[in-house]
Amino acid sequence: MHRDLFTQDHEAFRDSVRQFIGKEVVPNIPDWEAAGQVPRELFTKTAELGINGLQVPEEYGGSGLSSFLFNAIVIEETGYAAANLGGLQVHLSTVLPYFFEYANDEQKSRWFPGFADGTLVSSIAMTEPGTGSDLAGMATTAVRDGDDWVLNGAKTFITGGINADLIVVVARTSREVQDRRDGLSLLVVEDGMEGFSRGRNLDKLGLKAQDTAELSFDDVRVPARNLLGEEGRAFSMLTSNLPQERLTIAVAAQATATAALNLAIDYVRDRQVFGRRVADFQNTKFVLAECAAELEASQALVDRALRNLDAGTLSPADAAKAKLFCTEMQSRVIDRCLQLHGGYGYMREYPIARLYADARVSRIFGGTSEVMKSVISKSLEL
């Protein structure tokens, strides 16, 4: 079905992104997966294309775009190519919104030019070894000492944590609260601060080229000027961006499932079994037809959510619906498409195998499918 979201400017940008990914990313995926991360210079190359500064205000070297559609194009083209940009998408779509919303003028002058030119990339450190999704159970602490916050704790599963120059750390700055969701603050830890160390680049099932780190903070003195937003209000600040974060995951799920369908179509047209093309078997036709129908339904949901996000009307429940539906669909479609590849689908040299492994985490990060169902059920007043 025709998508009417995008203008000629969007499509020109899409073409540039597609060419860049085809030339600079896709050929290097095997090496990057073996290394467990993309090279740091990738982020300066994407900045030269204008990707990093899409929503950075013009006075700091960015494009100053208010629409998320250009970000969505980058996510889609990366997914269509079965590619990976490391922690860049988390930086652009999950972390930068906190800077855009809560950074003061001094912080903007200090950090935004680096965001635009690719010399600064950020990550966010929420999850802890013992708390998982329970942000209110945060054990990492920061105590005020003069002009500094003294930060102690550990974080895990931090996407982009190896390559990031700035880490937005969620820490408990006060225990004198009635609601345990209060008393959390966002502190920006900079690369090289004494006491800040990066542990393992975690060995994951999929997303091999996307660095995922363990981080430790041992009496790290974070200047008070690195407090992002209002002290003690991190919980509400974090939840405010959840709709965009979850829609980002839905867009990626939709794009990678589309890539799987295209890979399967190409494969079954060429593969011969029992003297016939795999594409000629009725079961193949029915399986791929079912996948195509599911993709159309999820695309409609994604596009409506993208419109609502730009209009400022995307609710947490609607974002949860998009993430739940698209990630569950992604799992089904990629699994069916891998099945049509037969034994070759299980070989990592085939992109479908990488897509299969990469897709599994979509139903976990950004809130599990079970959490999405809980959010949706609350909107039903259940």
Side-chain angles (χ1 to χ4, degrees), residues 151 189-197 217-222:
L151 178 67
V189 174
E190 301 178 45
D191 184 33
M193 284 184 171
E194 187 176 354
F196 167 48
S197 60
F217 309 94
D218 184 11
D219 287 336
V220 180
R221 300 192 74 88
V222 182

Side-chain angles (χ1 to χ4, degrees), residues 69-360:
L69 292 180
F70 287 92
N71 297 63
I73 287 170
V74 178
I75 298 167
E76 287 182 348
E77 290 303 319
T78 304
Y80 293 157
N84 193 302
L85 297 178
L88 182 64
Q89 289 298 351
V90 168
H91 163 69
L92 293 176
S93 300
T94 301
V95 190
L96 283 193
Y98 298 116
F99 286 95
F100 296 150
E101 181 70 22
Y102 301 111
N104 57 39
D105 289 342
E106 186 276 330
Q107 292 170 336
K108 291 176 182 178
S109 298
R110 189 156 38 114
W111 292 324
F112 281 21
F115 291 153
D117 66 20
T119 57
L120 288 180
V121 174
S122 64
S123 182
I124 188 163
M126 290 187 278
T127 305
E128 296 183 354
T131 60
S133 299
D134 182 17
L135 288 181
M138 192 77 58
T140 296
T141 61
V143 177
R144 187 66 181 262
D145 182 27
D147 292 332
D148 298 327
W149 290 96
V150 180
L151 178 67
N152 284 281
K155 301 289 183 177
T156 192
F157 307 147
I158 308 307
T159 300
I162 299 294
N163 271 329
D165 307 284
L166 303 179
I167 311 284
V168 179
V169 180
V170 186
R172 183 163 296 283
T173 53
S174 175
R175 294 189 181 278
E176 303 299 321
V177 294
Q178 293 183 340
D179 188 333
R180 69 192 191 108
R181 293 178 295 181
D182 293 333
L184 299 175
S185 302
L186 302 182
L187 298 174
V188 181
V189 174
E190 301 178 45
D191 184 33
M193 284 184 171
E194 187 176 354
F196 167 48
S197 60
R198 308 174 203 253
R200 296 181 298 153
N201 185 1
L202 298 170
D203 185 16
K204 305 182 298 297
L205 172 68
L207 296 176
K208 294 287 190 178
Q210 181 173 289
D211 53 309
T212 305
E214 294 176 325
L215 306 177
S216 296
F217 309 94
D218 184 11
D219 287 336
V220 180
R221 300 192 74 88
V222 182
R225 67 177 187 152
N226 280 25
L227 175 71
L228 189 61
E230 185 179 351
E231 179 187 339
R233 303 298 299 166
F235 191 91
S236 61
M237 293 161 63
L238 291 168
T239 55
S240 69
N241 191 51
L242 281 176
Q244 177 170 304
E245 179 182 352
R246 288 168 176 167
L247 178 55
T248 297
I249 297 169
V251 172
Q254 170 71 26
T256 54
T258 300
L261 177 62
N262 291 333
L263 288 168
I265 290 172
D266 290 342
Y267 183 82
V268 300
R269 283 173 173 165
D270 293 336
R271 177 68 170 163
Q272 296 277 331
V273 176
F274 304 120
R276 300 170 62 189
R277 297 187 314 162
V278 175
D280 293 331
F281 290 90
Q282 187 181 62
N283 179 69
T284 303
K285 299 176 189 292
F286 283 4
V287 167
L288 293 179
E290 187 176 36
C291 290
E294 287 201 57
L295 280 163
E296 287 289 355
S298 61
Q299 189 69 76
L301 184 59
V302 163
D303 286 358
R304 188 173 70 176
L306 286 170
R307 289 185 187 279
N308 289 347
L309 179 66
D310 268 8
T313 59
L314 182 64
S315 69
D318 286 344
K321 291 172 188 175
K323 181 183 185 295
L324 175 66
F325 188 88
C326 292
T327 56
E328 294 288 342
M329 175 279 303
Q330 175 196 33
S331 175
R332 293 190 299 270
V333 166
I334 294 178
D335 183 76
R336 294 169 190 153
C337 291
L338 185 149
Q339 187 74 14
L340 290 174
H341 280 71
Y344 290 103
Y346 202 64
M347 302 297 109
R348 281 191 61 85
E349 64 187 272
Y350 281 74
I352 191 68
R354 297 202 309 271
L355 287 175
Y356 182 83
D358 292 351
R360 187 58 186 89

